[in-house]
Amino acid sequence: MKTNKKLMQYFMLWIIIGSSACQPNFDKKEVTNEKAFPFILPKEKPTDRHLSRAMERNYSYPAARPEDNELYTQFKYTELKGFDYNNHDGTISRRDPSKVIFENGQYYVWYTKRDTPTPPQGPDLCNDTIPSRDWDLSEIWYATSKDGFTWEEQGVAVPRPPKPNVGWRSVTTTDILKWKGKYYLYYQGFMQASGKRGDDCPVAVSYADSPDGPWTPANKIVIPNGKEGEWDQYSIHDPYPLVYKGKIYLYYKSDFDGDPNLVRMQGLAIADNPLGPFKKHPLNPVITSGHETTLFPFKDGIAALVIRDGSEHYTIQYAEDGVNFDIASIVSLMPTAAGPYVPDAFDSNGNGRGITWGISHFTNVTTWKENHAIIARFDCDLSLDVHDPAMKRAHVYFKPNVYFSQGLNKKQRARVEKENEAVLKASK
């Protein structure tokens, strides 16, 4: 009994010592931070004092101030010349541009184009000529430009193939790869009207010897949907290829976790050959937010614009290994479905220089009854070779009408009025 009692005493002492070692030493912190935080913000993380979680986080970004952060920017937008939209009646739509490349003395961009007798009518009213969604019954078109502002539409690059080939219903959301002198367009291939059963569509590919085509379809699924129960079992959207570490890194988005409250995250598939096989990364999803995929080589890693959806939306992120992304900055007015001009997208030299402009899209240009999208130019400073202080400003000012356009709907107004009535009644 004495031995057991002594062992118990040692055991309790060990617990007390161990638990105290795990607790923050506030006394020590108070002693260490004898002076207040300095007025001049240190450019590097201070090592001679304890920091709050907020200050620790501030030094986790590439720079302590956004003006000094190469991965922070504002975005500016310009309407493009050269595209007709049939008086914006909803019958013509251009959306989801690829990244821009420069070949043969001019810029090239590919995009989803719909030219149908009517605007989208929904899955219940669509048929072989009437689209269900804005991207239904679409093909891949392309345009060229000398300056990035005025474009000349060249025609169809990838038409819808005959049924039952991948994409017979619609080919959409393309992006471009240049690999060993050849060109590859990856895109979503719909085999049913969008909305009939989710957006079930694997990735297909066509290839050519010139960016002007002709494009030969591989007539195969290069990145299949995941197995039943896996996060990407229903959709592989927005294929986006880069050449990184001598391999093809193809990023994509998927929707999962139920309907109508879908979660959108991004995955990665890697291959040694443009036609596959592509192997999905075991850490997928590698980005937990974003509605589209937009990435570019930066320094020795990969940077990503994380747009719209998710807990980390409206951020620019960076992964030194192209897989493990961290938030590099929080931005506003991000381009939707951005296709940047990435001069070194296919260099794989470990010295990514960043981006300064590209093409994006705007949806719901008029009303949802005439639903269609237009493509536009965006400019930014996410480049190691450009220093534009105006792009690094921290504030964007909006007129009051921008805020008032985001007013309460009828249901919300009725709820507020009911709550107000209850407050007045309780005060009597």
Side-chain angles (χ1 to χ4, degrees), residues 132-368:
S132 65
R133 305 285 193 229
D134 189 30
W135 51 89
D136 190 28
L137 297 175
S138 294
E139 298 175 312
I140 305 301
W141 285 56
Y142 80 111
T144 58
S145 174
K146 294 290 187 180
D147 63 3
F149 293 95
T150 300
W151 293 80
E152 182 177 355
E153 192 162 65
Q154 300 295 337
V156 178
V158 180
R160 286 184 285 143
K163 194 175 183 177
N165 289 310
V166 175
W168 68 265
R169 177 71 192 189
S170 193
V171 287
T172 72
T173 321
T174 191
D175 212 279
I176 185 74
L177 167 71
K178 184 178 181 181
W179 177 267
K180 297 182 178 179
K182 291 185 179 292
Y183 301 84
Y184 300 82
L185 284 174
Y186 296 89
Y187 46 89
Q188 296 171 212
F190 284 86
M191 274 82 80
Q192 60 184 339
S194 179
K196 288 285 188 180
R197 194 189 69 196
D199 278 340
D200 185 355
C201 51
V203 173
V205 63
S206 293
Y207 53 89
D209 293 324
S210 164
D212 294 295
W215 296 90
T216 301
N219 288 325
K220 60 183 287 189
I221 295 173
V222 291
I223 302 181
N225 291 1
K227 298 175 183 177
E228 184 176 356
E230 295 180 343
W231 76 287
D232 56 0
Q233 68 172 349
Y234 288 127
S235 59
I236 306 287
H237 292 174
D238 299 356
Y240 190 99
L242 295 170
V243 180
Y244 182 62
K245 296 182 177 179
K247 296 180 180 292
I248 301 159
Y249 274 50
L250 193 148
Y251 297 86
Y252 64 92
K253 178 198 76 179
S254 190
D255 303 333
F256 67 110
D257 196 37
D259 189 5
N261 299 312
L262 292 171
V263 172
R264 293 179 171 91
M265 296 187 182
Q266 299 179 36
L268 168 65
I270 302 173
D272 295 310
N273 187 298
L275 301 182
F278 279 86
K279 183 178 180 182
K280 295 179 181 178
H281 200 280
L283 292 183
N284 281 347
V286 296
I287 298 176
T288 62
S289 302
H291 194 86
E292 296 93 8
T293 51
T294 301
L295 305 98
F296 53 93
F298 192 78
K299 297 184 178 179
D300 55 355
I302 300 290
L305 303 186
V306 181
I307 302 162
R308 290 178 56 186
D309 294 337
S311 300
E312 297 179 349
H313 65 290
Y314 298 137
T315 62
I316 297 174
Q317 301 194 13
Y318 177 71
E320 191 171 344
D321 59 358
V323 175
N324 292 286
F325 285 85
D326 290 308
I327 295 175
S329 69
I330 301 168
V331 294
S332 60
L333 284 178
M334 293 189 84
T336 301
Y341 171 50
V342 189
D344 53 7
F346 317 123
D347 289 354
S348 189
N349 60 9
N351 186 28
R353 307 308 297 171
I355 62 171
T356 58
W357 69 278
I359 308 296
S360 60
H361 77 212
F362 295 108
T363 58
N364 191 24
V365 179
T366 51
T367 67
W368 286 115

Side-chain angles (χ1 to χ4, degrees), residues 83-97 110-120 131 133-142 153 170-173 360-368 370-376:
F83 295 111
D84 172 65
Y85 290 93
N86 210 17
N87 294 318
H88 296 286
D89 66 357
T91 60
I92 295 177
S93 181
R94 295 180 183 86
R95 57 181 297 140
D96 294 303
W110 291 260
Y111 44 87
T112 301
K113 182 180 180 182
R114 174 180 57 79
D115 189 345
T116 53
T118 71
R133 305 285 193 229
D134 189 30
W135 51 89
D136 190 28
L137 297 175
S138 294
E139 298 175 312
I140 305 301
W141 285 56
Y142 80 111
E153 192 162 65
S170 193
V171 287
T172 72
T173 321
S360 60
H361 77 212
F362 295 108
T363 58
N364 191 24
V365 179
T366 51
T367 67
W368 286 115
E370 300 166 330
N371 184 22
H372 67 292
I374 64 171
I375 53 177

